[in-house]
Amino acid sequence: MSKPSRNLERIQRSLVSRYRAEKAFRLCGIAAVTLGLLAVLVLFADIFLKGKSAFSATYIQLEINYDQEVLGIDDLSDEGALMLADWDRLHKTALRQEFPQVRKRSERRELYALVSNGAGYDLKERLLSEPELLDQTEKFWILADDDIDTYYKSLLKGRAYTARLSLAQLERVKQLIDQDRIELQFNANFLSRGDSREPEQVGIKGAMFGSFFTLVITLLLSFPIGIAAAIYLEEFAEKNRWTEFIEVNINNLAAVPSIIFGLLGLAIFINFFNVPRSIPFLGGLVLAVMTLPTIIITSRAAIKSVPPSIREAALGLGASPNQVVLHYVVPLAMPGMLTGSIIGMARALGETAPLLMIGMVAFIADVPGGFTDPATVLPVQIFLWADSPERAFIEKTSAAIMVLLAFLITMNLSAVWLRKKLERRW
Amino acid sequence: MQSSEMFLLLLGASVLAFFLGRRRSEALAHISGGLNSLHSLPNYHGYFTAIWTALPALLVLIIWMTLENYVIIRLTFESLPEHLLPTDTSSTTLLANKINNLALGVLPRDGQPTEILAAAKQLLRYNEFSRWTMAAVVSCTALMGFSWGRSYLSTEFRARQPVESVAQYVLFCCAVVAIFTTLGILLSVIFESLQFFKSVPVFDFVFGLEWSPQTAIRDDQVGSSGSFGAVPLFVGTLLVSAVAMCISVPVGLMSAIYLAEYAHRSTRTYAKPALEVLAGIPTVVYGFFAALTLGPYLRTIGESFDLSVSSESALAAGIVMGVMIIPFISSLADDVITAVPQAMRDGSLAMGATHSETVWRVVIPAALPGIVAGIMLAISRAIGETMIVVMASGLAANLTANPLESVTTVTVQIVTLLTGDQEFDSPKTLAAFALGLMLFIVTLILNVIALQVVKRFREQYE
Amino acid sequence: MSTTVVSAAETDSNTRSQHLMSGDQTNFLNDIQDHVTVGTCFSENAKMSIKNVSVFYGNKQAIFDASVDITENQVIAMIGPSGCGKSTLLRSLNRMNDTIEGCRVKGHISMDGQDLYSPKLDVVELRARVGMVFQKPNPFPKSIYDNVAYGPKIHGLTDSRYELDEIVEESLRRAGLWDEVRDRLQQPGTGLSGGQQQRLCIARAIAVSPEVILMDEPCSALDPIATARIEELIEELSQNFTIAIVTHNMQQAARVSHRTAYFHLGKLIEVNPTEQVFTMPEHNLTESYITGRFG
């Protein structure tokens, strides 16, 4: 055996490299954590920088004459006449007056393309809300086309993106800018409208409502069933192979890829039970099946954390096992169950893949009014917009992501808050 | 929807029945001298009547609703002339859908044979009739149940026991939902896959090197056969997953080790949830980032090194997927690392080992089973991840191991095959289910093994 | 035994004066009984010496101003009722207290005249020189061979596999485990019985040839037969190593140690040759404890 003094010498000699390794290891750890945190930062910053411009939209000020004859309307309460009226002529006329030098057909088309093709609809709304404007003239801010919008925003940032505009159009826009008749305004449409083919007109209200209806179904199904299952497994089930089989099933389902649940929805709910496609009810059903295992697992953990002494005390007072569960265990485990369910709901809110399988990817412009109206949900809306080729959709997609993330953060924070507020420690 | 109204009606009826039952028991008690003469509390009598009112009626309602469609379609078919009747199962569903859609007004009526239109009308009549009969039958059942249940009530009646056992059964059924879900998944993928394997042999599917599911609409089109060799998809999936693992395993593991072993407690309380944020971000957001930010960025970088990087490269999807999985690995690793008893660390430190030597030579080997299981779960997640690859990787099935090229994955193909307008039992759609079956089997095996290992690991140190 | 013991009276006055000089008024006032360590705290042949050491966990004080020497190639036993701070003091001897958050040590601990808490001291080196055996056997999840080879490997003590084999065999022999495990060196150390595991931990500790071995209730998790083996082993080891052992088992202290230190509520009450402590204790608290009036 080596002598202590010789050992000491060797140890001292080894120390330098060992401390270097120690330091390197520590640095690796710090680097890993920093990398992870950096990823969070980059992701959020990227989305935010891309999306923040979507909350404003470019408007062009035009002199609009609500000419009774052009519209062919005598009475604003005449629905049929309102339907038939050529509202687009209002701003087209205004544009022609603004740029009288435009003569040729093709030039005119370019000129009209400066404003959104939904402008006529906006003018109709305007007139209906203020009927006394009929046959009057006013200066009105009209929504610009998405190409103008992209150009104007990029111009403000100092790197003009002109690829989608003709020279003539650029000139017109410059003229408008010189006259201060083009500006960014808050994009209220984005939060109050449904989907559209035109990037400047899109809104996420439809998707938000779709998500809402879907989540209501998910919550109504998965919360009671999940808690009931957790109570059964934790409190009443005998420990036998049958129960173990259920447990293995639940644990596996929690780790099954979400897209598989989409296949389940397609084959079982749509093809076997004939549930109509694309509706929040079906989406909610599929997401409920998907979140159920998570809710069961978290609820079981919550029940498990109720100390046995409380159970024993209640049993000792003569309560039946059912009463013990109902009056003592469940109320005490409720905060944990609620937290788990909120987190499950947050996950369901962000889920996309299974919904693609059950037809929730359709283009739906209307805001859904109920559980059986065709609808899409926020993440699917994001997917659809991300797939659209128009450049203007990038900012809309990012903005929709911001809204989705805002919801998710709110849900998670409320779960944390709930846990902090209601949690008891034994 | 009339059936949902029926549900609400039943709910209302059972609430009413609860109060009536409770009143009844209180009245009974009053006659025989106070509430103490009741064997069970009045509430239990109320629950008992409510259960008898709702449960049988609910059962009838559910049975009716499941059988309704089938019976009505059969009845409608009877009114059709011989030559329009379907010959095999697939055309049956097609025809049924057609008639259904006509009846709902989704399909335009122009150009449809008059017999079919008549059938659609007939279907509507049957539907109407069925709904009303259903309402009547369900109401009758509820009423009968109510009077039956109410007749049981007496002062000696032990209402608590039946109520509690019904409650137990309900709880049990909720727990069994998990089994039915698994069963549902298995049935849905297996049945469709079996159909698929009738037209494409299993061997060709699992070992075929060519994937082009474009079955032609006309027979004379080029490549009309369509080939279903899934190997390129498997390779693509593995390639993307491998890239993801190369990112997430070292970063996730190292950050877990750092946070569990080195970091100050305050760092840990902030850094850990901040990392978990990555797990909470929806995959569609990652997909967007990969497709619109990282993909083009990698391409530009590649150009400056004279490398041709596809803008839908496996690398971009893999890196982003790896970032997504970091918190998954780090939290699982953190769990097992903190589960390693302090005594082991003490033993090593007391020998004069440095902290990193202790971690590498004692803590990690002790936590190894748990860490491996965590990595397996992460792999299973990477394989099944859909949105990132759908948005950021390509559709072309390249058989390549170069992460700079574009590949396609199993999940991407499932989505593309099923989101187009396809009739349900073309081999193209069925192939999606066969891929789903493969995906399910692989992830199932990974999950089962991993969960078992984790369980055993926990038992070892508890 | 080459130790000459300073007379009791001398030490008594020594500690007292030191105590007063330390100026730690609060400690002194906290002391309900007149806190003076009686007996022979110091020895001429001290391997380690503890002077006026107080240990704190956050705001809680676990050791109050303890002073005692650990004599070279002897066994010193630390006894006392549970929670009296003896393990805390032991852990501060190889700075294992560093791993506990909020733990502070005041006073001087030195080994061969070198201050253990000076910033210049290298903890890794110190722990290689002062080995430790824990209450519960804690073999690493490795083979028996790798458990023993762990220390020599990390410290780079050997140049060849042959040398390493030699150290492993030698250590296992000295721990009295060689004959039992020679055929299964590659099997996991966790597969051994409790007593064998503890002897494996001792073998692991002596494989780096430390100068001092600290033992923290090494037999408390073992059965009587395994305990007897370990006690035998301690006696053998004391010929080459300086050993400090914490135990709650008075008989064990009486059997294996040369000197015994008695702790009570964080205070070092008495240090004397073991024989004396168990036959005619100086302090009445010591007497009450060893006669079983509390503990």
Side-chain angles (χ1 to χ4, degrees):
Chain A
M1 191 179 239
S2 38
K3 290 256 160 13
S5 58
R6 195 194 131 219
N7 275 354
L8 211 58
E9 217 171 274
R10 277 179 171 254
I11 291 171
Q12 277 162 350
R13 242 187 296 142
S14 74
L15 281 177
V16 180
S17 63
R18 285 166 72 190
Y19 279 128
R20 207 182 301 130
E22 170 80 22
K23 210 169 172 183
F25 187 69
R26 214 186 153 91
L27 278 178
C28 274
I30 293 176
V33 175
T34 320
L35 210 64
L37 297 179
L38 208 64
V40 181
L41 210 67
V42 167
L43 212 60
F44 275 82
D46 182 61
I47 301 291
F48 181 76
L49 290 178
K50 277 193 181 135
K52 71 172 196 297
S53 56
F55 291 100
S56 57
T58 309
Y59 283 81
I60 297 172
Q61 193 188 44
L62 288 178
E63 196 105 9
I64 300 288
N65 179 9
Y66 298 94
D67 195 330
Q68 212 165 341
E69 275 169 36
V70 169
L71 292 171
I73 300 173
D74 304 320
D75 181 6
L76 280 178
S77 56
D78 184 354
E79 289 281 337
L82 287 176
M83 286 270 281
L84 286 172
D86 185 0
W87 297 94
D88 285 342
R89 266 187 75 184
L90 293 181
H91 63 259
K92 283 181 181 170
T93 319
L95 278 168
R96 272 210 309 277
Q97 279 167 3
E98 197 67 44
F99 302 101
Q101 69 272 33
V102 175
R103 291 257 177 267
K104 273 192 271 173
R105 252 194 117 108
S106 57
E107 280 184 353
R108 268 194 205 167
R109 203 175 302 132
E110 277 184 6
L111 179 64
Y112 297 154
L114 289 183
V115 300
S116 162
N117 66 2
Y121 176 79
D122 292 343
L123 289 172
K124 178 182 168 190
E125 294 280 291
R126 171 78 182 156
L127 187 58
L128 286 179
S129 66
E130 285 184 46
E132 64 270 21
L133 280 173
L134 191 61
D135 250 351
Q136 303 289 316
T137 302
E138 69 157 345
K139 285 187 170 171
F140 187 67
W141 288 99
I142 286 184
L143 187 61
D145 187 67
D146 62 305
D147 290 331
I148 306 296
D149 186 56
T150 312
Y151 166 70
Y152 185 59
K153 282 173 182 165
S154 61
L155 187 71
L156 290 181
K157 275 187 208 151
R159 270 182 304 171
Y161 176 80
T162 54
R164 300 268 305 164
L165 298 179
S166 70
L167 280 174
Q169 281 177 319
L170 278 174
E171 207 151 296
R172 315 253 181 276
V173 174
K174 273 188 192 127
Q175 191 181 331
L176 286 169
I177 292 174
D178 289 341
Q179 295 172 357
D180 269 342
R181 298 186 46 194
I182 192 161
E183 71 172 28
L184 289 179
Q185 293 180 358
F186 176 66
N187 185 3
N189 289 344
F190 188 67
L191 294 175
S192 63
R193 283 195 180 166
D195 196 9
S196 166
R197 297 282 185 209
E198 300 299 326
E200 77 275 7
Q201 294 176 40
V202 296
I204 52 166
K205 192 179 174 194
M208 283 201 288
F209 271 63
S211 275
F212 172 75
F213 289 127
T214 308
L215 279 197
V216 167
I217 294 286
T218 308
L219 185 66
L220 285 182
L221 286 172
S222 61
F223 186 65
I225 297 182
I227 284 180
I231 291 173
Y232 175 78
L233 289 174
E234 212 46 56
E235 296 287 333
F236 299 116
E238 292 162 38
K239 290 271 166 270
N240 53 23
R241 297 171 79 181
W242 185 230
T243 313
E244 203 174 308
F245 181 60
I246 296 180
E247 281 175 8
V248 169
N249 256 300
I250 290 171
N251 288 335
N252 273 323
L253 282 177
V256 163
S258 60
I259 192 173
I260 300 279
F261 289 99
L263 292 179
L264 170 85
L266 180 59
I268 303 281
F269 296 140
I270 295 185
N271 285 332
F272 190 73
F273 287 113
N274 283 316
V275 181
R277 285 166 170 266
S278 307
I279 61 170
F281 176 73
L282 176 61
L285 210 58
V286 170
L287 292 182
V289 173
M290 195 193 79
T291 37
L292 199 55
T294 322
I295 293 186
I296 296 179
I297 290 171
T298 46
S299 302
R300 286 188 67 179
I303 295 176
K304 233 181 232 159
S305 69
V306 176
S309 56
I310 294 205
R311 250 164 280 224
E312 281 151 17
L315 281 173
L317 290 174
S320 78
N322 279 328
Q323 285 170 326
V324 172
V325 170
L326 210 59
H327 297 166
Y328 298 96
V329 177
V330 171
L332 287 173
M334 209 27 117
M337 294 174 168
L338 283 177
T339 319
S341 305
I342 293 176
I343 289 167
M345 286 301 114
R347 198 170 295 167
L349 175 60
E351 196 52 71
T352 323
L355 302 179
L356 300 183
M357 308 280 90
I358 54 169
M360 293 195 89
V361 275
F363 169 76
I364 291 146
D366 295 328
V367 175
F371 298 108
T372 51
D373 287 351
T376 189
V377 294
L378 267 176
V380 177
Q381 186 74 75
I382 290 166
F383 169 65
L384 286 171
W385 285 351
D387 245 14
S388 305
E390 286 95 340
R391 195 184 165 89
F393 267 120
I394 294 180
E395 60 168 35
K396 308 289 177 195
T397 315
S398 307
I401 289 175
M402 282 161 72
V403 173
L404 176 62
L405 288 179
F407 278 120
L408 289 176
I409 291 170
T410 316
M411 286 170 92
N412 280 301
L413 284 185
S414 62
V416 171
W417 177 79
L418 200 71
R419 185 160 46 201
K420 283 244 166 76
K421 179 141 172 93
L422 298 176
E423 192 181 49
R424 276 173 227 217
R425 290 205 169 274
W426 279 284
Chain B
M1 213 162 75
Q2 220 173 346
S3 41
S4 65
E5 283 156 22
M6 241 11 252
F7 274 114
L8 285 180
L9 201 72
L10 271 184
L11 192 71
S14 61
V15 171
L16 189 71
F18 169 75
F19 285 111
L20 288 176
R22 198 171 70 171
R23 268 251 307 273
R24 165 90 177 150
S25 72
E26 278 162 359
L28 285 172
H30 193 67
I31 297 166
S32 46
L35 279 178
N36 283 338
S37 62
L38 280 181
H39 192 278
S40 299
L41 288 172
N43 270 352
Y44 281 111
H45 289 97
Y47 288 133
F48 183 77
T49 26
I51 287 169
W52 264 109
T53 313
L55 215 55
L58 201 65
L59 218 64
V60 171
L61 181 63
I62 289 171
I63 293 173
W64 192 288
M65 277 167 55
T66 26
L67 293 182
E68 189 184 34
N69 276 320
Y70 182 77
V71 172
I72 287 179
I73 271 299
R74 289 288 131 186
L75 282 174
T76 320
F77 279 175
E78 275 182 14
S79 70
L80 286 175
E82 196 73 36
H83 68 276
L84 281 173
L85 276 180
T87 44
D88 56 7
T89 46
S90 61
S91 52
T92 308
T93 32
L94 268 182
L95 186 65
N97 278 339
K98 195 171 175 188
I99 295 176
N100 250 325
N101 287 339
L102 278 171
L104 289 170
V106 185
L107 215 65
R109 277 145 211 266
D110 324 326
Q112 299 290 352
T114 41
E115 289 93 341
I116 298 279
L117 283 179
K121 236 178 222 157
Q122 187 70 28
L123 182 91
L124 276 182
R125 270 199 296 273
Y126 281 136
N127 263 340
E128 186 84 348
F129 177 73
S130 155
R131 286 295 145 106
W132 284 114
T133 343
M134 177 179 80
V137 171
V138 169
S139 313
C140 276
T141 323
L143 267 178
M144 267 157 58
F146 172 69
S147 49
W148 178 262
R150 194 168 175 272
S151 71
Y152 261 102
L153 304 189
S154 69
T155 46
E156 288 87 48
F157 179 56
R158 300 163 176 236
R160 192 168 67 86
Q161 277 82 344
V163 168
E164 287 194 345
S165 59
V166 167
Q168 290 255 359
Y169 271 112
V170 171
L171 292 182
F172 173 73
C173 289
C174 289
V176 173
V177 166
I179 293 183
F180 280 110
T181 309
T182 312
L183 205 68
I185 291 175
L186 276 176
L187 286 183
S188 54
V189 290
I190 287 179
F191 268 119
E192 313 296 346
S193 305
L194 284 181
Q195 280 209 36
F196 172 73
F197 290 134
K198 269 184 212 155
S199 52
V200 179
V202 183
F203 187 85
D204 290 3
F205 175 71
V206 179
F207 298 104
L209 298 179
E210 188 84 26
W211 177 268
S212 59
Q214 257 45 31
T215 43
I217 301 156
R218 296 189 319 270
D219 284 338
D220 53 339
Q221 264 179 331
V222 189
S224 56
S225 58
S227 52
F228 294 95
V231 170
L233 309 189
F234 298 151
V235 171
T237 309
L238 287 182
L239 185 61
V240 176
S241 307
V243 174
M245 286 298 128
C246 285
I247 300 284
S248 60
V249 171
V251 176
L253 213 53
M254 278 310 293
S255 49
I257 291 172
Y258 181 77
L259 290 179
E261 296 281 338
Y262 284 94
H264 202 260
R265 197 186 293 159
S266 58
T267 319
R268 190 177 152 87
T269 41
Y270 290 106
K272 229 182 143 209
L275 270 185
E276 311 257 298
V277 166
L278 284 174
I281 295 175
T283 53
V284 69
V285 177
Y286 283 108
F288 176 74
F289 183 79
L292 276 111
T293 306
L294 192 64
Y297 182 66
L298 288 180
R299 200 187 155 94
T300 341
I301 289 185
E303 272 165 10
S304 63
F305 286 101
D306 272 342
L307 278 172
S308 75
V309 182
S310 160
S311 57
E312 297 183 321
S313 63
L315 192 62
I319 289 176
V320 170
M321 195 189 281
V323 169
M324 183 194 82
I325 296 176
I326 288 173
F328 192 76
I329 289 197
S330 75
S331 71
L332 281 171
D334 188 87
D335 278 358
V336 290
I337 286 172
T338 43
V340 172
Q342 184 62 31
M344 290 229 182
R345 286 184 192 93
D346 283 353
S348 169
L349 290 174
M351 297 289 301
T354 63
H355 206 145
S356 60
E357 283 161 356
T358 304
V359 170
W360 268 124
R361 290 165 182 255
V362 175
V363 178
I364 298 291
L368 200 60
I371 290 173
V372 169
I375 292 175
M376 282 171 77
L377 284 175
I379 293 176
S380 130
R381 180 162 258 226
I383 291 176
E385 171 48 43
T386 310
M387 291 321 293
I388 293 176
V389 279
V390 165
M391 295 169 83
S393 73
L395 291 175
N398 292 330
L399 187 56
T400 174
N402 180 359
L404 302 181
E405 278 180 49
S406 159
V407 292
T408 191
T409 72
V410 172
T411 47
V412 171
Q413 288 305 316
I414 295 178
V415 170
T416 14
L417 293 178
L418 286 180
T419 44
D421 286 325
Q422 281 283 327
E423 69 265 40
F424 191 64
D425 21 13
S426 79
K428 210 175 138 180
T429 31
L430 292 178
F433 283 91
L435 289 175
L437 179 66
M438 290 292 145
L439 185 62
F440 185 69
I441 291 174
V442 171
T443 51
L444 185 75
I445 292 171
L446 283 171
N447 295 343
V448 169
I449 297 174
L451 290 172
Q452 212 57 37
V453 171
V454 169
K455 200 174 155 197
R456 216 168 289 161
F457 174 79
R458 264 170 221 287
E459 281 162 3
Q460 188 188 333
Y461 288 121
E462 248 164 31
Chain C
M1 283 220 309
S2 56
T3 326
T4 37
V5 174
V6 192
S7 87
E10 233 178 71
T11 328
D12 209 307
S13 63
N14 239 340
T15 17
R16 187 192 296 269
S17 61
Q18 263 176 11
H19 202 121
L20 290 172
M21 277 185 335
S22 75
D24 204 334
Q25 289 295 327
T26 42
N27 278 350
F28 191 66
L29 290 176
N30 272 346
D31 220 338
I32 307 152
Q33 294 146 342
D34 185 19
H35 170 220
V36 174
T37 309
V38 298
T40 47
C41 294
F42 302 105
S43 75
E44 277 182 356
N45 197 8
K47 180 73 187 166
M48 299 182 95
S49 90
I50 298 163
K51 281 208 184 82
N52 305 104
V53 167
S54 300
V55 184
F56 303 84
Y57 291 121
N59 294 324
K60 208 176 146 269
Q61 188 165 3
I63 293 282
F64 295 86
D65 200 33
S67 299
V68 61
D69 279 355
I70 296 169
T71 321
E72 185 153 21
N73 288 356
Q74 273 200 359
V75 180
I76 183 167
M78 303 182 180
I79 60 168
S82 46
C84 64
K86 46 199 195 308
S87 290
T88 302
L89 187 65
L90 193 76
R91 286 174 72 97
S92 60
L93 294 183
N94 69 344
R95 292 192 45 183
M96 279 303 284
N97 273 341
D98 292 8
T99 59
I100 298 165
E101 227 171 292
C103 182
R104 281 180 301 125
V105 176
K106 256 177 69 182
H108 296 280
I109 304 177
S110 60
M111 176 157 81
D112 295 337
Q114 191 184 8
D115 185 5
L116 296 194
Y117 284 82
S118 94
K120 273 181 281 175
L121 180 112
D122 190 283
V123 186
V124 168
E125 194 190 316
L126 167 70
R127 289 180 187 156
R129 292 171 66 192
V130 182
M132 189 163 189
V133 176
F134 293 84
Q135 191 170 356
K136 255 179 83 184
N138 56 352
F140 303 138
K142 298 166 175 288
S143 70
I144 294 169
Y145 182 93
D146 285 335
N147 259 289
V148 183
Y150 182 78
K153 265 189 193 163
I154 54 169
H155 292 307
L157 297 184
T158 55
D159 297 318
S160 63
R161 176 82 194 185
Y162 173 76
E163 233 177 306
L164 189 62
D165 286 348
E166 233 174 30
I167 290 186
V168 170
E169 184 180 337
E170 172 90 38
S171 310
L172 283 170
R173 269 190 205 286
R174 297 180 78 170
L177 198 58
W178 176 252
D179 294 331
E180 290 158 64
V181 298
R182 61 190 306 170
D183 302 323
R184 44 175 175 151
L185 286 177
Q186 293 312 319
Q187 283 172 25
T190 41
L192 297 172
S193 74
Q196 287 174 322
Q197 284 190 13
Q198 195 62 296
R199 275 181 284 149
L200 179 63
C201 291
I202 292 173
R204 188 174 73 189
I206 58 183
V208 289
S209 340
E211 295 153 45
V212 181
I213 301 176
L214 310 175
M215 297 187 172
D216 188 357
E217 304 194 17
C219 303
S220 66
L222 304 181
D223 60 85
I225 297 169
T227 303
R229 291 289 317 257
I230 303 271
E231 285 178 6
E232 255 170 59
L233 185 57
I234 292 171
E235 221 171 314
E236 276 170 44
L237 291 174
S238 69
Q239 290 163 12
N240 297 307
F241 299 98
T242 308
I243 295 175
I245 177 170
V246 161
T247 176
H248 56 237
N249 179 339
M250 280 174 284
Q251 285 73 33
Q252 186 170 66
R255 283 192 295 264
V256 300
S257 69
H258 302 99
R259 289 167 75 220
T260 296
Y262 173 67
F263 285 80
H264 186 83
L265 297 176
K267 283 150 201 150
L268 180 53
I269 304 296
E270 175 171 353
V271 185
N272 263 323
T274 303
E275 231 164 273
Q276 189 190 339
V277 170
F278 285 96
T279 49
M280 37 177 174
E282 261 178 73
H283 202 289
N284 50 6
L285 267 173
T286 320
E287 190 184 356
S288 311
Y289 180 69
I290 59 168
T291 50
R293 245 169 267 165
F294 62 84

